[in-house]
Amino acid sequence: MNTDRRRHPRIPMEVEVELHVPAEALRVVRTRDLSGSGVLLLMPAEGRPPIGARVQVRVVGALGDGEAPPLVPASVVRDLPEGVAVAFEGC
């Protein structure tokens, strides 16, 4: 029996993203997986934004057509041993 109640499947995707947290220095972190509604950011426990924090994420580098990636608003929804899960706003 499948107990996974996610609306969007997770896709393994390891890329660098900028993590923008208000009043903090910009950080570059890696992802582990991505879905249509959020992403898991790999980061050490020290200095993680707390659950409920509003953040913004952006893929490092240019997109395939050379266009700059968008800065996507999100909120921290889970704190896990390997990092934090963020949900994109509006999802």
Side-chain angles (χ1 to χ4, degrees):
M1 180 174 167
N2 185 358
T3 60
D4 190 350
R5 298 185 311 242
R6 296 180 208 290
R7 290 181 294 153
H8 304 280
R10 288 182 176 178
I11 299 168
M13 183 166 296
E14 294 184 17
V15 297
E16 288 188 329
V17 296
E18 297 174 358
L19 174 61
H20 298 259
V21 179
E24 292 186 16
L26 167 73
R27 286 185 271 182
V28 175
V29 298
R30 293 198 59 81
T31 65
R32 185 179 76 188
D33 56 49
L34 170 73
S35 76
S37 60
V39 63
L40 177 60
L41 305 175
L42 300 175
M43 55 194 313
E46 186 175 322
R48 287 182 188 170
I51 293 175
R54 295 186 71 197
V55 300
Q56 294 176 308
V57 293
R58 176 180 12 224
V59 173
V60 172
L63 299 177
D65 59 1
E67 183 180 347
L71 190 58
V72 180
S75 296
V76 177
V77 293
R78 278 187 296 290
D79 190 323
L80 304 163
E82 63 271 33
V84 294
V86 300
F88 303 134
E89 288 191 5
C91 291

